[in-house]
Amino acid sequence: LSMFDDTHPLEDLLRKELDSQIETAIENLPPITRDIYILNKLEGLKYKDIAKRKAMSEQNVKYHMAKANQYISERLAKYLAVIVFFHFF
């Protein structure tokens, strides 16, 4: 069995943990940043549509998305390192 086959128990555990960490990171975003992130990533709205809905500039939406992506990336970096480690060893 490969470490990353769908049937490998460690793969399932790592996916569940990663999903949990992503969810926690999103929940911990500031409210407006979280709302904008959810509208874009989960609901599929474009920046211009989010800007209209939130009555803000598209540039402001871009700022919040950059802030959200940076925060989430920083929080997930250690989990990515673990996954890469298990993949190669």
Side-chain angles (χ1 to χ4, degrees):
L1 277 177
S2 166
M3 170 34 207
F4 285 90
D5 285 343
D6 287 334
T7 58
H8 196 287
L10 187 54
E11 168 72 8
D12 190 45
L13 178 65
L14 288 173
R15 282 184 191 194
K16 287 178 183 176
E17 179 62 21
L18 186 58
D19 287 346
S20 174
Q21 292 302 317
I22 291 169
E23 188 174 313
T24 299
I26 292 169
E27 288 172 1
N28 287 330
L29 290 169
I32 187 66
T33 304
R34 180 179 57 241
D35 291 347
I36 290 169
Y37 184 85
I38 289 170
L39 288 171
N40 178 253
K41 295 297 185 183
L42 303 180
E43 295 184 24
L45 293 181
K46 296 182 184 209
Y47 289 1
K48 68 179 180 176
D49 298 323
I50 296 169
K52 286 179 187 175
R53 185 180 285 194
K54 293 291 184 181
M56 63 174 56
S57 71
E58 194 171 333
Q59 190 63 31
N60 204 0
V61 172
K62 289 178 184 179
Y63 165 79
H64 284 285
M65 284 301 297
K67 185 176 169 180
N69 287 325
Q70 179 180 357
Y71 179 84
I72 293 167
S73 295
E74 289 171 358
R75 298 304 174 271
L76 298 180
K78 66 181 176 180
Y79 294 98
L80 180 59
V82 169
I83 291 169
V84 169
F85 174 80
F86 280 111
H87 180 70
F88 290 106
F89 299 100

Coordinates of all heavy atoms in Angstrom, one line a residue:
L1 N 0.8 -1.2 0.0 CA 0.0 0.0 0.0 C 0.9 1.3 0.0 O 1.8 1.4 0.8 CB -0.9 0.0 1.3 CG -2.1 -0.7 1.3 CD1 -2.8 -0.6 2.7 CD2 -3.1 -0.3 0.3
S2 N 0.5 2.2 -0.8 CA 1.2 3.5 -0.8 C 0.6 4.3 0.3 O -0.5 4.2 0.7 CB 0.9 4.2 -2.1 OG 1.3 5.5 -2.0
M3 N 1.4 5.1 0.9 CA 1.0 6.0 2.0 C -0.2 6.9 1.6 O -1.0 7.2 2.4 CB 2.3 6.8 2.3 CG 2.2 8.0 3.2 SD 1.1 8.0 4.6 CE 0.9 9.7 4.7
F4 N -0.3 7.2 0.3 CA -1.4 8.1 -0.1 C -2.5 7.5 -0.9 O -3.2 8.1 -1.5 CB -0.8 9.3 -0.8 CG -0.1 10.3 0.1 CD1 1.2 10.2 0.4 CD2 -0.8 11.3 0.8 CE1 1.8 11.0 1.4 CE2 -0.3 12.1 1.7 CZ 1.1 12.0 2.0
D5 N -2.6 6.1 -0.8 CA -3.7 5.5 -1.3 C -4.9 5.8 -0.5 O -4.8 6.1 0.7 CB -3.6 3.9 -1.3 CG -2.6 3.4 -2.4 OD1 -2.3 4.2 -3.3 OD2 -2.2 2.3 -2.2
D6 N -6.1 5.9 -1.1 CA -7.3 6.2 -0.4 C -7.6 5.2 0.7 O -8.3 5.5 1.7 CB -8.5 6.3 -1.3 CG -8.5 7.5 -2.2 OD1 -7.8 8.5 -1.8 OD2 -9.1 7.5 -3.3
T7 N -7.1 4.0 0.6 CA -7.4 3.0 1.6 C -6.4 2.9 2.8 O -6.7 2.2 3.7 CB -7.3 1.6 0.9 OG1 -6.0 1.4 0.3 CG2 -8.4 1.5 -0.2
H8 N -5.4 3.7 2.8 CA -4.4 3.7 3.9 C -5.0 4.5 5.1 O -5.4 5.6 4.9 CB -3.1 4.4 3.4 CG -2.0 4.1 4.3 ND1 -1.8 4.6 5.5 CD2 -0.9 3.2 4.2 CE1 -0.8 4.2 6.1 NE2 -0.2 3.3 5.3
P9 N -5.0 3.9 6.3 CA -5.6 4.5 7.4 C -4.9 5.9 7.8 O -5.5 6.8 8.3 CB -5.4 3.5 8.6 CG -5.1 2.2 7.9 CD -4.5 2.5 6.5
L10 N -3.6 5.9 7.6 CA -2.9 7.2 7.9 C -3.3 8.3 7.0 O -3.4 9.5 7.5 CB -1.4 7.0 7.9 CG -0.5 8.1 8.3 CD1 -0.8 8.5 9.8 CD2 1.0 7.7 8.3
E11 N -3.6 8.0 5.8 CA -4.0 9.0 4.8 C -5.4 9.6 5.3 O -5.5 10.8 5.3 CB -4.2 8.4 3.4 CG -5.0 9.2 2.5 CD -4.2 10.4 2.0 OE1 -3.0 10.5 2.2 OE2 -4.8 11.3 1.3
D12 N -6.3 8.7 5.7 CA -7.6 9.2 6.2 C -7.4 10.1 7.5 O -8.0 11.1 7.6 CB -8.5 8.0 6.5 CG -9.9 8.4 6.8 OD1 -10.4 9.2 6.1 OD2 -10.5 7.9 7.8
L13 N -6.5 9.7 8.4 CA -6.3 10.4 9.6 C -5.7 11.8 9.3 O -6.1 12.8 9.8 CB -5.3 9.7 10.5 CG -4.9 10.3 11.8 CD1 -6.1 10.5 12.7 CD2 -3.8 9.5 12.5
L14 N -4.7 11.8 8.4 CA -4.1 13.1 8.0 C -5.1 14.0 7.3 O -5.1 15.2 7.5 CB -2.9 12.9 7.1 CG -1.6 12.3 7.7 CD1 -0.6 11.9 6.7 CD2 -1.1 13.2 8.8
R15 N -5.9 13.5 6.4 CA -7.0 14.3 5.8 C -7.9 14.9 6.8 O -8.3 16.1 6.7 CB -7.7 13.5 4.8 CG -7.0 13.3 3.5 CD -7.8 12.5 2.5 NE -7.0 12.1 1.4 CZ -7.4 11.7 0.2 NH1 -8.7 11.6 0.0 NH2 -6.6 11.4 -0.7
K16 N -8.4 14.1 7.7 CA -9.3 14.6 8.8 C -8.6 15.7 9.6 O -9.3 16.7 9.9 CB -9.8 13.4 9.7 CG -10.8 12.5 9.0 CD -11.2 11.4 9.9 CE -12.1 10.4 9.1 NZ -12.5 9.3 9.9
E17 N -7.4 15.5 10.0 CA -6.7 16.5 10.8 C -6.5 17.8 10.0 O -6.7 18.9 10.5 CB -5.3 15.9 11.2 CG -4.5 16.9 12.0 CD -5.1 17.4 13.4 OE1 -6.0 16.7 13.9 OE2 -4.8 18.4 13.8
L18 N -6.1 17.6 8.7 CA -5.9 18.8 7.9 C -7.2 19.6 7.7 O -7.3 20.8 7.8 CB -5.3 18.4 6.5 CG -5.0 19.5 5.6 CD1 -3.9 20.5 6.2 CD2 -4.4 19.0 4.3
D19 N -8.3 18.8 7.5 CA -9.6 19.5 7.3 C -10.0 20.2 8.6 O -10.5 21.3 8.6 CB -10.7 18.4 7.0 CG -10.7 17.9 5.6 OD1 -10.0 18.5 4.8 OD2 -11.3 16.9 5.3
S20 N -9.7 19.6 9.7 CA -10.0 20.2 11.0 C -9.2 21.5 11.2 O -9.7 22.5 11.7 CB -9.7 19.3 12.2 OG -9.8 19.9 13.4
Q21 N -7.9 21.5 10.8 CA -7.0 22.6 11.0 C -7.5 23.8 10.0 O -7.4 24.9 10.4 CB -5.6 22.3 10.7 CG -5.0 21.4 11.8 CD -5.1 22.0 13.2 OE1 -4.8 23.2 13.3 NE2 -5.4 21.2 14.1
I22 N -7.9 23.4 8.8 CA -8.4 24.4 7.9 C -9.6 25.1 8.5 O -9.8 26.3 8.5 CB -8.7 23.8 6.5 CG1 -7.4 23.4 5.8 CG2 -9.5 24.8 5.6 CD1 -7.5 22.5 4.6
E23 N -10.6 24.3 8.9 CA -11.8 24.8 9.5 C -11.5 25.7 10.7 O -12.1 26.8 10.8 CB -12.7 23.6 10.0 CG -14.1 24.0 10.4 CD -14.9 22.8 10.7 OE1 -15.0 21.9 9.9 OE2 -15.6 22.9 11.8
T24 N -10.6 25.3 11.6 CA -10.2 26.2 12.7 C -9.6 27.5 12.3 O -9.9 28.5 12.8 CB -9.3 25.4 13.7 OG1 -10.0 24.2 14.1 CG2 -8.8 26.2 14.8
A25 N -8.7 27.4 11.3 CA -8.0 28.6 10.8 C -9.1 29.6 10.2 O -9.0 30.8 10.5 CB -7.0 28.2 9.7
I26 N -10.0 29.1 9.5 CA -11.1 29.9 8.9 C -11.9 30.5 10.0 O -12.2 31.7 10.0 CB -12.0 29.1 7.9 CG1 -11.1 28.8 6.7 CG2 -13.2 29.9 7.5 CD1 -11.8 27.8 5.7
E27 N -12.3 29.7 11.0 CA -13.1 30.2 12.1 C -12.4 31.3 12.9 O -13.0 32.2 13.5 CB -13.4 29.1 13.1 CG -14.5 28.1 12.5 CD -14.6 26.9 13.4 OE1 -14.0 26.8 14.5 OE2 -15.4 26.0 13.0
N28 N -11.0 31.3 12.9 CA -10.2 32.3 13.7 C -9.9 33.5 12.9 O -9.3 34.4 13.5 CB -9.0 31.6 14.2 CG -9.2 30.6 15.3 OD1 -10.2 30.8 16.1 ND2 -8.4 29.6 15.4
L29 N -10.3 33.6 11.7 CA -10.1 34.9 10.9 C -11.0 36.0 11.5 O -12.1 35.7 12.1 CB -10.5 34.7 9.5 CG -9.6 33.8 8.6 CD1 -10.3 33.5 7.3 CD2 -8.3 34.4 8.4
P30 N -10.6 37.2 11.4 CA -11.5 38.3 11.8 C -12.8 38.2 11.0 O -12.8 37.7 9.9 CB -10.7 39.6 11.4 CG -9.3 39.2 11.3 CD -9.3 37.7 10.9
P31 N -13.9 38.6 11.6 CA -15.2 38.4 11.0 C -15.4 38.8 9.5 O -15.9 38.0 8.7 CB -16.2 39.1 11.9 CG -15.5 39.1 13.2 CD -14.1 39.2 12.9
I32 N -15.0 40.0 9.2 CA -15.1 40.5 7.8 C -14.2 39.7 6.8 O -14.6 39.4 5.7 CB -14.9 42.0 7.7 CG1 -15.3 42.5 6.2 CG2 -13.5 42.4 8.0 CD1 -16.7 42.4 5.9
T33 N -13.0 39.4 7.3 CA -12.1 38.6 6.5 C -12.7 37.2 6.3 O -12.6 36.7 5.2 CB -10.7 38.6 7.1 OG1 -10.3 39.9 7.3 CG2 -9.7 37.8 6.3
R34 N -13.2 36.6 7.3 CA -13.8 35.3 7.2 C -15.0 35.3 6.3 O -15.1 34.4 5.4 CB -14.2 34.8 8.6 CG -14.9 33.4 8.6 CD -15.3 32.9 10.0 NE -16.2 33.9 10.6 CZ -16.0 34.5 11.8 NH1 -14.8 34.3 12.4 NH2 -16.8 35.3 12.3
D35 N -15.9 36.3 6.4 CA -17.0 36.4 5.5 C -16.6 36.4 4.0 O -17.2 35.8 3.2 CB -17.9 37.6 5.8 CG -18.6 37.4 7.2 OD1 -18.6 36.3 7.7 OD2 -19.1 38.5 7.7
I36 N -15.6 37.3 3.8 CA -15.1 37.5 2.4 C -14.5 36.2 1.9 O -14.7 35.7 0.7 CB -14.2 38.7 2.3 CG1 -15.0 40.0 2.5 CG2 -13.4 38.7 1.0 CD1 -14.1 41.2 2.7
Y37 N -13.7 35.5 2.7 CA -13.1 34.3 2.3 C -14.1 33.2 2.0 O -14.0 32.5 1.0 CB -12.2 33.8 3.5 CG -11.4 32.5 3.1 CD1 -10.2 32.6 2.4 CD2 -11.9 31.3 3.5 CE1 -9.5 31.5 2.1 CE2 -11.2 30.1 3.1 CZ -10.0 30.2 2.4 OH -9.3 29.1 2.1
I38 N -15.1 33.1 2.8 CA -16.2 32.1 2.6 C -17.0 32.4 1.3 O -17.3 31.5 0.6 CB -17.1 32.0 3.8 CG1 -16.4 31.3 5.0 CG2 -18.4 31.3 3.5 CD1 -17.1 31.4 6.3
L39 N -17.3 33.7 1.1 CA -18.0 34.0 -0.1 C -17.2 33.7 -1.4 O -17.8 33.2 -2.3 CB -18.3 35.5 -0.1 CG -19.4 36.0 0.9 CD1 -19.4 37.5 0.9 CD2 -20.7 35.4 0.5
N40 N -15.9 33.8 -1.3 CA -15.0 33.5 -2.5 C -14.8 32.1 -2.6 O -15.0 31.4 -3.6 CB -13.7 34.3 -2.4 CG -12.8 34.0 -3.5 OD1 -11.8 33.4 -3.4 ND2 -13.2 34.5 -4.7
K41 N -14.2 31.5 -1.6 CA -13.7 30.1 -1.7 C -14.8 29.0 -1.6 O -14.7 28.0 -2.2 CB -12.7 29.8 -0.6 CG -11.4 30.6 -0.7 CD -10.7 30.3 -2.0 CE -9.4 31.0 -2.1 NZ -8.7 30.8 -3.3
L42 N -15.8 29.3 -0.7 CA -16.8 28.2 -0.5 C -18.1 28.5 -1.4 O -18.7 27.5 -1.8 CB -17.2 28.1 0.9 CG -16.0 27.8 1.9 CD1 -16.5 27.7 3.3 CD2 -15.3 26.6 1.5
E43 N -18.4 29.8 -1.6 CA -19.6 30.1 -2.4 C -19.3 30.4 -3.9 O -20.2 30.5 -4.7 CB -20.4 31.2 -1.7 CG -21.0 30.7 -0.4 CD -21.9 31.7 0.3 OE1 -22.4 32.6 -0.4 OE2 -22.0 31.7 1.5
G44 N -18.0 30.6 -4.1 CA -17.5 30.8 -5.5 C -17.8 32.2 -6.1 O -17.7 32.4 -7.3
L45 N -18.1 33.2 -5.2 CA -18.3 34.6 -5.7 C -17.0 35.2 -6.2 O -15.9 35.0 -5.6 CB -18.9 35.4 -4.7 CG -20.4 35.1 -4.3 CD1 -20.9 36.1 -3.2 CD2 -21.3 35.1 -5.5
K46 N -17.0 36.0 -7.2 CA -15.9 36.8 -7.7 C -15.7 38.0 -6.8 O -16.6 38.5 -6.2 CB -16.1 37.2 -9.1 CG -16.1 35.9 -10.0 CD -16.3 36.3 -11.5 CE -16.5 35.0 -12.3 NZ -16.0 35.1 -13.6
Y47 N -14.5 38.5 -6.8 CA -14.2 39.7 -6.0 C -15.1 40.9 -6.3 O -15.6 41.5 -5.3 CB -12.7 40.2 -6.2 CG -11.6 39.3 -5.7 CD1 -11.9 38.1 -5.0 CD2 -10.3 39.6 -5.8 CE1 -10.9 37.3 -4.5 CE2 -9.3 38.8 -5.3 CZ -9.6 37.6 -4.7 OH -8.6 36.8 -4.2
K48 N -15.4 41.1 -7.5 CA -16.3 42.3 -7.8 C -17.7 42.0 -7.2 O -18.4 43.0 -6.8 CB -16.4 42.5 -9.3 CG -17.1 41.5 -10.2 CD -17.1 41.9 -11.6 CE -17.8 40.8 -12.4 NZ -17.9 41.2 -13.8
D49 N -18.2 40.8 -7.2 CA -19.5 40.5 -6.7 C -19.5 40.6 -5.1 O -20.5 41.1 -4.5 CB -20.0 39.1 -7.1 CG -20.1 39.0 -8.6 OD1 -20.6 40.0 -9.2 OD2 -19.8 37.9 -9.2
I50 N -18.4 40.2 -4.5 CA -18.2 40.3 -3.1 C -18.2 41.8 -2.7 O -18.8 42.2 -1.7 CB -17.0 39.6 -2.6 CG1 -17.1 38.1 -2.8 CG2 -16.8 39.9 -1.1 CD1 -15.8 37.3 -2.6
A51 N -17.5 42.6 -3.5 CA -17.3 44.0 -3.2 C -18.7 44.7 -3.3 O -19.1 45.5 -2.4 CB -16.4 44.7 -4.3
K52 N -19.5 44.3 -4.2 CA -20.9 44.9 -4.3 C -21.7 44.5 -3.1 O -22.4 45.3 -2.5 CB -21.6 44.4 -5.6 CG -21.1 45.1 -6.8 CD -21.8 44.6 -8.1 CE -21.2 45.1 -9.3 NZ -21.8 44.5 -10.6
R53 N -21.7 43.2 -2.8 CA -22.4 42.7 -1.7 C -22.0 43.3 -0.3 O -22.9 43.6 0.5 CB -22.3 41.2 -1.6 CG -23.2 40.5 -0.5 CD -23.0 39.0 -0.4 NE -23.7 38.4 -1.5 CZ -24.0 37.1 -1.5 NH1 -23.6 36.3 -0.5 NH2 -24.6 36.6 -2.6
K54 N -20.8 43.5 -0.2 CA -20.2 44.1 1.1 C -20.1 45.6 1.1 O -19.6 46.2 2.1 CB -18.9 43.5 1.4 CG -18.9 42.0 1.8 CD -19.6 41.8 3.1 CE -19.6 40.3 3.5 NZ -20.4 40.2 4.8
A55 N -20.5 46.2 0.0 CA -20.4 47.7 -0.2 C -19.0 48.2 0.1 O -18.8 49.1 0.9 CB -21.4 48.4 0.7
M56 N -18.0 47.6 -0.6 CA -16.6 48.0 -0.4 C -15.9 47.9 -1.8 O -16.5 47.3 -2.7 CB -15.9 47.1 0.6 CG -15.8 45.7 0.3 SD -14.8 44.6 1.4 CE -15.5 44.9 3.0
S57 N -14.7 48.4 -1.8 CA -14.0 48.4 -3.1 C -13.5 47.0 -3.4 O -13.3 46.2 -2.4 CB -12.8 49.3 -3.1 OG -11.8 48.9 -2.2
E58 N -13.3 46.7 -4.6 CA -12.7 45.4 -5.0 C -11.3 45.3 -4.4 O -10.8 44.2 -4.0 CB -12.6 45.3 -6.5 CG -12.4 43.9 -7.0 CD -12.6 43.7 -8.5 OE1 -13.4 44.5 -9.1 OE2 -11.9 42.8 -9.1
Q59 N -10.5 46.4 -4.3 CA -9.2 46.4 -3.7 C -9.3 45.9 -2.2 O -8.4 45.2 -1.8 CB -8.6 47.8 -3.9 CG -7.1 47.8 -3.5 CD -6.3 46.9 -4.4 OE1 -6.5 46.7 -5.6 NE2 -5.2 46.4 -3.9
N60 N -10.3 46.4 -1.5 CA -10.5 46.0 -0.1 C -10.7 44.5 0.0 O -10.2 43.8 0.9 CB -11.6 46.8 0.5 CG -11.5 46.9 2.0 OD1 -10.6 46.4 2.6 ND2 -12.4 47.6 2.6
V61 N -11.5 44.0 -1.0 CA -11.8 42.5 -1.0 C -10.5 41.8 -1.2 O -10.2 40.8 -0.5 CB -12.8 42.1 -2.1 CG1 -12.9 40.6 -2.2 CG2 -14.2 42.8 -1.8
K62 N -9.7 42.2 -2.1 CA -8.3 41.6 -2.4 C -7.5 41.6 -1.2 O -6.8 40.7 -0.9 CB -7.6 42.3 -3.6 CG -8.3 42.1 -4.9 CD -7.5 42.9 -6.0 CE -8.2 42.7 -7.3 NZ -7.6 43.5 -8.4
Y63 N -7.5 42.7 -0.4 CA -6.7 42.9 0.8 C -7.1 41.8 1.8 O -6.3 41.1 2.4 CB -6.9 44.2 1.4 CG -6.4 44.3 2.8 CD1 -5.1 44.4 3.1 CD2 -7.3 44.2 3.9 CE1 -4.6 44.5 4.5 CE2 -6.9 44.3 5.2 CZ -5.6 44.4 5.5 OH -5.1 44.4 6.8
H64 N -8.4 41.6 2.0 CA -8.9 40.6 3.0 C -8.6 39.2 2.5 O -8.3 38.4 3.3 CB -10.4 40.8 3.2 CG -10.7 42.0 4.1 ND1 -10.5 42.0 5.4 CD2 -11.2 43.2 3.8 CE1 -10.9 43.1 6.0 NE2 -11.3 43.9 5.0
M65 N -8.7 39.0 1.2 CA -8.4 37.6 0.7 C -6.9 37.3 0.9 O -6.5 36.2 1.3 CB -8.8 37.5 -0.8 CG -10.2 37.3 -1.0 SD -10.9 35.9 -0.1 CE -10.1 34.5 -1.0
A66 N -6.0 38.3 0.7 CA -4.6 38.1 0.9 C -4.3 37.8 2.4 O -3.5 37.0 2.7 CB -3.8 39.3 0.4
K67 N -5.0 38.6 3.2 CA -4.8 38.4 4.7 C -5.3 37.0 5.1 O -4.6 36.4 5.9 CB -5.7 39.5 5.3 CG -5.6 39.6 6.8 CD -6.4 40.8 7.3 CE -6.6 40.8 8.8 NZ -7.4 42.0 9.2
A68 N -6.4 36.6 4.6 CA -7.0 35.3 4.9 C -6.0 34.2 4.4 O -5.7 33.2 5.1 CB -8.3 35.1 4.3
N69 N -5.6 34.3 3.2 CA -4.7 33.2 2.6 C -3.4 33.2 3.4 O -2.9 32.1 3.6 CB -4.5 33.5 1.1 CG -5.7 33.2 0.3 OD1 -6.4 32.3 0.6 ND2 -5.9 34.0 -0.8
Q70 N -2.8 34.3 3.7 CA -1.6 34.3 4.5 C -1.8 33.6 5.9 O -1.0 32.8 6.3 CB -1.0 35.7 4.7 CG 0.3 35.7 5.5 CD 0.8 37.2 5.6 OE1 0.2 38.1 5.1 NE2 1.9 37.3 6.3
Y71 N -2.8 34.0 6.5 CA -3.1 33.5 7.9 C -3.3 31.9 7.8 O -2.7 31.2 8.6 CB -4.4 34.1 8.5 CG -4.7 33.6 9.8 CD1 -4.1 34.1 11.0 CD2 -5.7 32.6 10.0 CE1 -4.5 33.6 12.2 CE2 -6.0 32.1 11.2 CZ -5.4 32.6 12.3 OH -5.7 32.2 13.6
I72 N -4.1 31.5 6.9 CA -4.4 30.1 6.8 C -3.1 29.3 6.4 O -2.8 28.3 6.9 CB -5.5 29.8 5.7 CG1 -6.9 30.4 6.3 CG2 -5.7 28.3 5.4 CD1 -8.0 30.5 5.3
S73 N -2.4 29.8 5.4 CA -1.1 29.2 5.0 C -0.1 29.1 6.2 O 0.5 28.0 6.4 CB -0.4 30.0 3.9 OG -1.2 30.0 2.8
E74 N 0.0 30.1 7.0 CA 0.9 30.0 8.2 C 0.4 29.0 9.1 O 1.2 28.3 9.7 CB 1.0 31.4 8.8 CG 1.7 32.4 8.0 CD 1.6 33.8 8.6 OE1 0.9 34.1 9.6 OE2 2.2 34.8 8.0
R75 N -0.9 28.9 9.4 CA -1.4 27.9 10.3 C -1.3 26.5 9.8 O -1.1 25.6 10.6 CB -2.9 28.2 10.6 CG -3.2 29.5 11.3 CD -2.3 29.7 12.6 NE -2.5 31.0 13.1 CZ -1.7 32.1 12.9 NH1 -0.8 32.0 11.9 NH2 -1.8 33.2 13.5
L76 N -1.2 26.3 8.5 CA -1.2 24.9 8.0 C 0.2 24.5 7.6 O 0.4 23.3 7.3 CB -2.1 24.8 6.7 CG -3.5 25.1 6.9 CD1 -4.3 25.0 5.6 CD2 -4.1 24.2 8.0
A77 N 1.2 25.4 7.7 CA 2.6 25.0 7.3 C 3.1 23.8 8.0 O 3.7 22.9 7.4 CB 3.5 26.2 7.5
K78 N 2.9 23.7 9.3 CA 3.4 22.6 10.1 C 2.8 21.2 9.7 O 3.4 20.2 9.6 CB 3.3 22.8 11.6 CG 1.9 22.8 12.1 CD 1.9 23.1 13.6 CE 0.5 23.2 14.2 NZ 0.5 23.5 15.6
Y79 N 1.5 21.3 9.3 CA 0.8 20.1 8.8 C 1.3 19.6 7.5 O 1.4 18.5 7.2 CB -0.7 20.3 8.9 CG -1.1 20.4 10.3 CD1 -1.4 21.7 10.8 CD2 -1.3 19.4 11.2 CE1 -1.7 21.9 12.1 CE2 -1.6 19.5 12.5 CZ -1.8 20.8 13.0 OH -2.2 21.0 14.3
L80 N 1.6 20.6 6.6 CA 2.1 20.3 5.3 C 3.5 19.6 5.5 O 3.8 18.6 4.8 CB 2.3 21.5 4.5 CG 2.8 21.3 3.1 CD1 2.0 20.4 2.3 CD2 3.0 22.7 2.3
A81 N 4.3 20.1 6.4 CA 5.6 19.5 6.6 C 5.4 18.0 7.1 O 6.2 17.1 6.6 CB 6.4 20.2 7.7
V82 N 4.5 17.7 7.9 CA 4.2 16.3 8.3 C 3.8 15.5 7.2 O 4.3 14.3 7.0 CB 3.2 16.3 9.5 CG1 2.7 14.9 9.8 CG2 3.7 17.0 10.7
I83 N 2.9 16.0 6.3 CA 2.4 15.2 5.2 C 3.6 14.9 4.2 O 3.7 13.8 3.7 CB 1.3 15.9 4.5 CG1 0.0 15.9 5.4 CG2 0.9 15.3 3.1 CD1 -1.1 16.8 5.0
V84 N 4.4 15.9 4.0 CA 5.5 15.7 3.0 C 6.5 14.7 3.7 O 7.0 13.8 2.9 CB 6.2 17.1 2.8 CG1 7.6 16.8 2.1 CG2 5.3 18.0 1.9
F85 N 6.7 14.8 4.9 CA 7.6 13.8 5.6 C 7.1 12.4 5.4 O 7.9 11.5 5.0 CB 7.7 14.1 7.1 CG 8.5 13.1 7.8 CD1 9.9 13.1 7.8 CD2 7.9 12.1 8.6 CE1 10.7 12.2 8.5 CE2 8.6 11.2 9.3 CZ 10.0 11.2 9.2
F86 N 5.8 12.2 5.7 CA 5.3 10.8 5.5 C 5.3 10.3 4.1 O 5.4 9.1 3.8 CB 3.9 10.7 6.2 CG 3.9 10.6 7.7 CD1 3.5 11.6 8.5 CD2 4.4 9.4 8.2 CE1 3.5 11.5 9.8 CE2 4.4 9.3 9.6 CZ 4.0 10.3 10.4
H87 N 5.1 11.3 3.2 CA 5.1 10.9 1.8 C 6.4 10.3 1.3 O 6.5 9.4 0.5 CB 4.7 12.1 0.9 CG 4.6 11.8 -0.5 ND1 3.6 11.0 -1.1 CD2 5.4 12.1 -1.6 CE1 3.8 10.9 -2.4 NE2 4.9 11.6 -2.7
F88 N 7.5 10.9 1.8 CA 8.8 10.5 1.3 C 9.5 9.5 2.2 O 10.5 9.0 1.8 CB 9.7 11.8 1.1 CG 9.3 12.6 0.0 CD1 8.6 13.8 0.2 CD2 9.5 12.2 -1.3 CE1 8.2 14.6 -0.9 CE2 9.1 12.9 -2.4 CZ 8.4 14.2 -2.2
F89 N 9.0 9.3 3.4 CA 9.7 8.3 4.3 C 8.7 7.3 4.7 O 8.3 6.5 4.9 CB 10.3 9.0 5.5 CG 11.3 10.1 5.1 CD1 11.0 11.4 5.1 CD2 12.6 9.7 4.7 CE1 11.9 12.3 4.7 CE2 13.5 10.6 4.4 CZ 13.2 11.9 4.3

